Amino acid sequence: MGAAARETNMSGLLIKNVPPELHQRLRERAARNRRSLTQEALSLLEVALNETAGRPALPQLDRRRVRGARAMTDTLIRRAKAVGRP
């Protein structure tokens, strides 16, 4: 499928009232990544929407214990809970 055909199947999105400082930061980030403003905004949206919102549920934690790069132990969990607490 050619680029023109793909573009006709995509939805549009218009973001209004973008604060100037946010627009500038997006423009600078796009330049650093050698992307257009649209490509950079889409990249950021994709990353943000792929992240799990909030705390992981217990079944997710159980899966991480077994399948993670490093096995989760009760000690690791206690240490993680204690971070930033007095």
Side-chain angles (χ1 to χ4, degrees), residues 7-8 15 20 45-46 57 73 79:
E7 288 182 30
T8 59
I15 302 174
L45 280 170
E46 188 171 3
T73 63
R79 285 181 188 161

Side-chain angles (χ1 to χ4, degrees), residues 6-35:
R6 277 194 303 260
E7 288 182 30
T8 59
N9 294 330
M10 299 215 178
S11 298
L13 174 67
L14 173 65
I15 302 174
K16 295 182 177 184
N17 302 320
V18 177
E21 61 278 359
L22 181 60
H23 186 262
Q24 180 61 33
R25 287 173 39 209
L26 180 62
R27 188 177 346 174
E28 290 168 0
R29 183 180 173 117
R32 277 194 313 271
N33 293 322
R34 298 177 187 262
R35 296 180 179 145

Side-chain angles (χ1 to χ4, degrees), residues 9 49 56 58 67:
N9 294 330
L49 294 175
L58 287 176
R67 297 189 189 121

Side-chain angles (χ1 to χ4, degrees), residues 21 26 28 31 36 41 60 65 80-82:
E21 61 278 359
L26 180 62
E28 290 168 0
S36 68
Q60 290 172 313
R65 279 182 191 239
K81 286 180 179 178

